Amino acid sequence: MQHPSALASFALVLSGLICTHAFAADQATIKTGEALYNQNCSVCHQADAIGKPGFAPSLTNPELLSIASDKFFESTIRDGRPGTGMPPFAHLGRKKIKAIVAYLRSHSKLPNRASEVDAEPESHGDPRLGKQWFDDICSTCHGKNGDGYASGGTGTAIGKKGFLGKVSDGFIRETIRHGRSNTRMLGFSDAAGLAHLSDEEIDDIIAYMRTLDKQ
Ligand code: HEC
Ligand code: HEC
């Protein structure tokens, strides 16, 4: 018969207490974030941040939450997306913005892969080939130059700096490959997608997108 030493069981109780405490603190932050979300964001992004096609994207989409870093969320919320309907919220300050992100993250269904995705190699695709795909497929929803809702579609402004300046090629690549479930953004690597694109073709599209905010 082995008994845990008194010291070990003390350590166990202590770590249990610390965990419970951290959990309670997290829950409090999430509650604060939820209230801030309802005050500042739900008018556009809707209750539970499910989004509204052609108006504001979903922020609780599982694929988005799994590939987006905290830095992406915090800086997008802080700076907004100039030239789109997404206003800047720098006035809220870091702490409140972090609480909103904690609330969004509380909807996560998939593991967070942001650091892995952001470490993917950069695209070395051919922008001329990418332009053809973009004009044929992507522009239908995202607009001719990735201008977003302004051009009448349901896709966001993926040709503007507010997006391109904050995401890695890995983020764009994963989104094109796998899409975002329950939105109109279907994955293009899957047979179920609108078109089956190879990894090379996807990288050509990324290379073209990278030219859009410089035009
Ligand atoms: C007036 C409407 C409006 C409000 C209010 C608003 N947003 Fe947005 N938000 C948008 C639109 C529109 C976009 C998409 C812009 C584009 O086309 O790129 C967006 C995009 C985003 C994105 C990028 C999502 C993605 O799929 O990459 C994040 C993150 C975001 N908003 C967070 C917030 C948060 C958090 C709040 C509240 C603090 C907020 N927004 C308030 C309209 C709004
Ligand atoms: C049928 C419409 C449709 C087509 C076609 C489409 N998209 Fe999308 N895309 C969307 C929607 C809608 C979203 C945002 C999801 C949401 O509203 O929550 C999106 C989101 C994205 C995002 C993330 C943008 C952000 O703000 O975070 C990228 C990147 C993207 N699409 C790239 C592409 C590319 C590249 C193509 C062409 C190969 C393409 N999309 C084709 C509808 C479409």
Side-chain angles (χ1 to χ4, degrees):
M1 266 294 255
Q2 292 220 331
H3 293 278
S5 73
L7 192 64
S9 45
F10 175 69
L12 215 68
V13 169
L14 193 68
S15 68
L17 279 175
I18 292 169
C19 285
T20 320
H21 183 75
F23 180 73
D26 284 353
Q27 292 304 106
T29 308
I30 291 169
K31 273 221 115 44
T32 309
E34 182 175 9
L36 287 163
Y37 175 84
N38 289 335
Q39 276 163 27
N40 295 283
C41 325
S42 65
V43 60
C44 293
H45 291 280
Q46 312 295 299
D48 301 318
I50 58 166
K52 189 170 168 182
F55 188 57
S58 165
L59 304 178
T60 46
N61 170 268
E63 288 79 17
L64 170 67
L65 287 169
S66 95
I67 65 165
S69 63
D70 284 355
K71 193 174 164 219
F72 165 83
F73 275 126
E74 287 167 22
S75 64
T76 300
I77 298 167
R78 185 188 64 214
D79 302 337
R81 289 191 174 167
T84 78
M86 172 63 195
F89 288 92
H91 59 276
L92 290 179
R94 272 190 68 144
K95 207 173 160 205
K96 288 183 178 169
I97 291 177
K98 277 179 180 290
I100 295 174
V101 176
Y103 165 66
L104 297 177
R105 291 246 182 256
S106 72
H107 295 80
S108 297
K109 292 197 174 75
L110 302 169
N112 188 268
R113 298 192 294 128
S115 44
E116 185 191 313
V117 166
D118 286 341
E120 283 182 18
E122 283 182 14
S123 147
H124 292 289
D126 182 340
R128 287 164 310 172
L129 296 175
K131 178 176 167 36
Q132 289 173 16
W133 288 114
F134 194 94
D135 290 349
D136 282 355
I137 312 173
C138 322
S139 69
T140 327
C141 296
H142 289 280
K144 191 165 179 335
N145 300 306
D147 292 331
Y149 301 156
S151 53
T154 54
T156 51
I158 56 175
K160 288 193 193 284
K161 236 189 196 71
F163 171 72
L164 289 171
K166 299 211 186 287
V167 292
S168 62
D169 285 0
F171 179 106
I172 303 176
R173 188 180 290 123
E174 293 302 312
T175 306
I176 301 175
R177 273 187 189 150
H178 304 298
R180 293 193 182 163
S181 48
N182 294 317
T183 76
R184 301 189 187 184
M185 181 64 197
L186 303 174
F188 285 92
S189 288
D190 318 325
L194 285 173
H196 182 86
L197 298 175
S198 69
D199 286 355
E200 287 75 17
E201 288 161 344
I202 289 175
D203 270 28
D204 292 342
I205 295 174
I206 298 172
Y208 172 64
M209 284 173 62
R210 289 293 180 196
T211 69
L212 285 172
D213 64 336
K214 291 169 192 80
Q215 283 175 9

